[in-house]
């Protein structure tokens, strides 16, 4: 089976999320994870802190420049990710579709390199 990255993109800014909606989404995400684990498709996944917690390292004239903040400012940011094993892209997209419906957020599905 191939491995795929499911990236969860969140809107930037100080948008408030309804606690009731968030609780329901987290329950649904937990159920999806349990199903992934039971099927042998789960590899790893985790949420990320906000972009303002990031540190960026850039090569510069033989040294490395360290700066606070995200690599790039944007309207959306990577809020979390899941790595799964799936027999093909269609199966990976089916899992991604469930994540999108549970979170109402954009989900990017991308295969890892080096696999047939």
């Amino acid at each position: 089976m191939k491995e795929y990255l499911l990236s969860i993109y969140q809107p930037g800014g100080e948008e408030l999320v309804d606690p009731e909606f968030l609780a329901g989404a987290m329950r649904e995400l937990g159920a999806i994870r349990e199903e992934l684990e039971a099927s042998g498709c789960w590899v790893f996944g985790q949420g990320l802190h906000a972009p303002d917690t990031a540190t960026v390292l850039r090569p510069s004239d033989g040294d490395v420049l360290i700066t606070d903040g995200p690599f790039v400012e944007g309207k959306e940011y990577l809020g979390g990710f899941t790595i799964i094993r799936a027999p093909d892209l269609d199966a990976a997209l089916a899992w991604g579709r469930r994540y999108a419906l549970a979170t109402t957020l954009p989900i990017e599905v991308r295969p890892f390199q080096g696999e047939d």
Side-chain angles (χ1 to χ4, degrees):
M1 289 210 280
K2 296 180 181 185
E3 289 185 348
Y4 294 86
L5 175 68
L6 280 61
S7 303
I8 302 170
Y9 288 93
Q10 295 181 214
E14 297 293 324
E15 297 189 29
L16 299 175
V17 175
D18 174 41
E20 213 172 295
F21 170 80
L22 185 57
M26 294 307 290
R27 277 192 304 278
E28 181 63 23
L29 290 173
I32 294 169
R33 179 177 175 163
E34 287 177 9
E35 194 173 332
L36 278 164
E37 288 174 338
S39 69
C41 294
W42 175 261
V43 176
F44 178 79
Q46 193 70 334
L48 298 170
H49 285 285
D52 63 354
T53 65
T55 304
V56 178
L57 297 94
R58 293 181 197 275
S60 176
D61 298 324
D63 200 3
V64 176
L65 176 65
I66 300 173
T67 58
D68 291 336
F71 172 69
V72 65
E73 296 287 336
K75 293 181 181 183
E76 295 178 330
Y77 65 91
L78 181 62
F81 64 92
T82 300
I83 299 170
I84 64 168
R85 286 186 191 95
D88 54 35
L89 179 59
D90 289 338
L93 291 173
W95 287 112
R97 185 175 293 113
R98 292 191 54 198
Y99 273 84
L101 290 172
T103 63
T104 69
L105 296 171
I107 306 296
E108 178 182 343
V109 177
R110 190 186 302 189
F112 282 92
Q113 290 183 357
E115 298 181 0
D116 296 333

